[in-house]
Amino acid sequence: MSILITTVGILVLIYSDNYMSHDQGYLRFFAYMTLFNISMLGLVTSSNFIQIYVFWELVGMSSYLLIGFWFTRPIAANACQKAFVTNRVGDFGLLLGILGLYWITGSLEFRDLFQIINNLIYKNEVNLFFVTLFALLLFCGAVAKSAQFPLHVWLPDAMEGPTPISALIHAATMVAAGIFLVARLLPLFIVLPAIMNGIAFIGIITVVLGATLAIAQKDIKKNLAYSTMSQLGYMMLALGMGSYRAALFHLITHAYSKALLFLGSGSIIHSMEAVVGYSPAKSQNMVLMGGLTKHVPITKTCFLVGTLSLCGLPPFACFWSKDEILNDSWLYSPIFAIIACSTAGLTAFYMFRIYLLVFEGYLNVHFLNFNGKKNSSFYSISLWGKKQRCVLPGPLVLGKGPLNALTPTPDMDRTVSRRSEPSSRTALMGEQPNPWNILQPQVAKSRHRGAKPSRRCPGTSLSPRQCPDRYAFRAGRNLPDKEFRYLRTVIVTPPFTGASVVGSPVISAVAPEPASSGFEWHFTPNHNSSADSSTSVGSDLHLVSPKLHPGHG
Amino acid sequence: MNSFPWLTTVVVLPIVGGSLILLFPHKGNKVIKWYTICICLMDLLLTAYVFCYHFELDDPLIQLTENYKWINFFDFYWRFGIDGLSLGPILLTGFITTLATLAAQPVTRESQLFYFLMLAMYSGQIGTFSSRDILLFFIMWEFELIPVYLLLSMWGGKKRLYSATKFILYTAGSSVFLLLGIMGMSLYSSTEPTLNFELLTNQSYPLALEIIFYMGFLIAFAVKSPIIPLHTWLPDTHGEAHYSTCMLLAGILLKMGAYGLVRINMELLSRAHSLFCPWLMLLGSIQIIYAASTSLGQRNLKKRIAYSSVSHMGFLILGIGSISDTGLNGAILQIISHGFIGAALFFLAGTSYDRLRLLYLDEMGGMAIPMPKIFTVFTLLSMASLALPGMSGFIAELIVLLGIITSQKYLLITKILITFVTAIGMILTPIYSLSILRQMFYGYKLFNTPNSYFFDSGPRELFISISILIPIISIGIYPDFIFSFSADKVEAILSNFL
């Protein structure tokens, strides 16, 4: 378990280095992440109840902080409180269970406690009702943390957090803590058959519920969250059947597969953000995706591997573990086994639903584009591994340059004026599925507030001839923070354009789509002036990166 | 060395220093401010020095005693002395008062009087915690009310007169019961009044009389450390007072009631206490739930925090009611821990009120971006308040719960019920304290205030918050430090009940 935490943890940390690199809270994010890793490692290495409880709470708190990481979003604020309070309901049970067992046995060390309990039950010296009650209360804690049936409500909402968090906490490690706790306490539970049946029952309910809910989701992350819930149900089921080994095996295999899937979905979301806008309702919406195979082949391969693994195809890890669970379930109860097997079919169905919706078919985004500009979004996706496409002729070849060519230095307020070279795209980003370091040529159109129609430039193979005065390019490198993003704007101003023309239209081009989120943008004159000052110089290309204040004018 | 009257010095120093303020010329506030802080700091350091070098922790008896005959006529002594029980609250008083004085720096109106009152309050509180004579206890108890009343009625919010009157009515009304109890106890069974705590400890009364005394003291202390249904003065008072006063109120004043409960009701009236303690437990658990759910319904930020401190005081009553070693130690730890947490929460609420000028939570929002430091500290303190492990609140509440479980006095079913109800409070606490956070800091709402730019907390405010946070976290990690003060004394008290 600690190997799992450290390996997934380090991979997610590497991933999020790039994922969060443009967030204002970069430092804060990593502080929270390491806090989480500390408390998770503490949780799995502790040997008594108080220590477990302490780290259990700390894990919950770091999850709270990370879900609410983008605290300007009201949804995130609600989600993190919901997660914490739901987990607190579980902690309530856990604490009461700990206190009760302490009352019965007078010990908080696991080893002593199990021995005492077993002796007591063997000699029939203890009221079985109380032991069962306290074990049930302990199980409550695991139910809340592992998002099992009655207390699963927080997990889908927890997807408001940044995607690396969903991968690490809400798929791989923290939600597995409940499974881990039950596994650790199995010597206690195993002498209480009623509790074991209850665990298996809760597990099977969660399996079915998670899978059926996952079928109906549009949001890719919520879909994966429900899938996580269903898989956790499998583990609970296995524990309830007493096959401790299968449960932990599935925990580990699932953690790796699901982390892979989540990291892949993070890559997809980032790439979609550049196209459809920054609202989670859009960028995570699978309806708008499709045909991404062409654009994100590496992510596609990773995602496919994860999907196959989760569906339980033989060469992959989850096959072995899930097979073991299903096998054991036949021995346990045929009804449960039938349900579990058919749900395994459902798993394959919803996982391939995600996969097909995202990667196959055609990109559905432009169906939304009713302004006669069908191609722009489509072509605007720069492709990783595809040939470079000249956006602008002449010296202004803006391709997918190396990461830093168009990414301003951390002080984003500065206006960088640079003449971009035809970049040698050696942007090797390793395994990180983060290929969207692109310039998305967005014609200087504004979909709202008083844009002149002439500013729209049809077509995507843009050239200055077609758009004579200027273009505002949104450098569509992943702007991870959906509301605190710095909009990097490339404004191309031909020499003959004076400063007078450049005032508000540029700004409105910088403005995001009005419907992109419930977030209000306030463009105050100081942004205007920064844009003015940057564009008044008649140079060929300006990289304007106004730092948008997130809502407080 | 013991001949030097250390405690008298500690008690008298603030008020003497405070009366010197009134002689200061009207030159400006700066001199007075720093003078007051120096006095507080000197007193705190003096206390720490005395406790370090002239106090032995492993001795459960009263130490540093001083006996001076004051009024010959009825045998009234100026009698001080401390033991492990009063050690923690005295240090807490010094600490919180010093920080509150530092926090009160924005007060400019009639600052001479203000600082004098702060120092007078300081004297009164230390006097209460360290007196060994029951009449002296009463005098100090009353002496400390007057500054609170004045601080409330002169520097409070809009409804300050109303809440000050309410406060004085409640507390003065309860003092009548206190005085009656004291008179009854001292005049019983002898022609000479006995006012000494030591002598009173060994006295025994008929059960009926003891119960009557107990009721009297209980009412007096129930008003002070609010026990429902006598808590209603507290939200009003805390809602209106200036935040430095609030720090003192929440940090120290409430603890005086709990201290009195332990000191008089448990130590002197142990038979009646063992009769009453099931009801205290019941009251305590109801109070935790009731105040926590009332807190949810409050719109006013300060009132919400006030109700949260009422809810936390419920744990204290539970600890006192569970007549067990662990429970009582937990209660004493809760005195200290809530002293820090409550004071810090009120301080932060006050500082953010200074910036926003908004009282109601539903008008706030999105403050995290302009004020990240306050946001961070507020988050940490809310976590401490909802008993996150690693903070002092968690240890205190856990130990109180363990105390209930291990208490030998109660029936099993009572224990289970009380623990269950108390643990429900554990679910309610994060709901209200995280709601405060969510409503104040999360989101992006623009303020509809005239001045829409805010300053984050400056170095002074940051210093205060951090110096309160340090003990909170260090107690949470190493609570034995506080237990080492009180463990022996607690055993001594509990030996009365066996």
Side-chain angles (χ1 to χ4, degrees), chain A residues 60-61 64 80-88, chain B residues 383 386 430 434:
Chain A
M61 184 204 67
Y64 164 80
C80 65
Q81 193 182 357
K82 184 173 176 182
F84 196 89
V85 172
T86 318
N87 271 315
R88 209 64 202 258
Chain B
M383 293 292 167
L386 58 81
L434 295 185

Side-chain angles (χ1 to χ4, degrees), chain A residues 432-455:
Chain A
Q432 299 174 34
N434 195 1
W436 299 103
N437 175 25
I438 55 165
L439 267 185
Q440 177 196 358
Q442 192 97 0
V443 184
K445 78 185 174 69
S446 76
R447 301 184 189 164
H448 68 303
R449 52 177 95 151
K452 295 175 191 166
S454 68
R455 201 129 282 133

Side-chain angles (χ1 to χ4, degrees), chain B residues 265-322:
Chain B
N265 285 18
M266 281 191 81
E267 220 179 330
L268 305 186
L269 303 167
S270 47
R271 242 186 330 155
H273 183 69
S274 59
L275 282 181
F276 269 90
C277 61
W279 304 107
L280 273 185
M281 297 268 276
L282 191 64
L283 219 55
S285 50
I286 293 174
Q287 172 169 346
I288 290 174
I289 301 292
Y290 167 76
S293 29
T294 319
S295 172
L296 270 176
Q298 300 296 317
R299 288 177 66 223
N300 188 328
L301 169 63
K302 278 178 155 180
K303 281 194 180 177
R304 192 175 271 203
I305 299 177
Y307 272 110
S308 95
S309 64
V310 175
S311 165
H312 284 292
M313 296 309 276
F315 279 99
L316 232 154
I317 301 163
L318 278 179
I320 291 173
S322 78

Side-chain angles (χ1 to χ4, degrees), chain B residues 378-416:
Chain B
F378 212 111
T379 311
L380 279 171
L381 280 169
S382 305
M383 293 292 167
S385 158
L386 58 81
L388 187 83
M391 309 273 201
S392 57
F394 167 70
I395 302 282
E397 291 176 15
L398 180 74
I399 285 176
V400 167
L401 284 177
L402 276 180
I404 298 171
I405 288 292
T406 51
S407 163
Q408 276 136 27
K409 192 176 157 43
Y410 298 101
L411 287 178
L412 176 66
I413 199 76
T414 343
K415 280 198 263 189
I416 290 179

Side-chain angles (χ1 to χ4, degrees), chain A residues 448-489:
Chain A
H448 68 303
R449 52 177 95 151
K452 295 175 191 166
S454 68
R455 201 129 282 133
R456 248 185 242 160
C457 201
T460 47
S461 53
L462 299 169
S463 73
R465 281 186 304 280
Q466 283 173 306
C467 285
D469 45 6
R470 65 203 162 274
Y471 312 114
F473 287 92
R474 289 206 351 231
R477 157 122 176 82
N478 43 14
L479 303 174
D481 194 347
K482 275 137 193 114
E483 276 133 16
F484 280 116
R485 55 189 187 261
Y486 308 108
L487 286 177
R488 268 143 293 147
T489 313

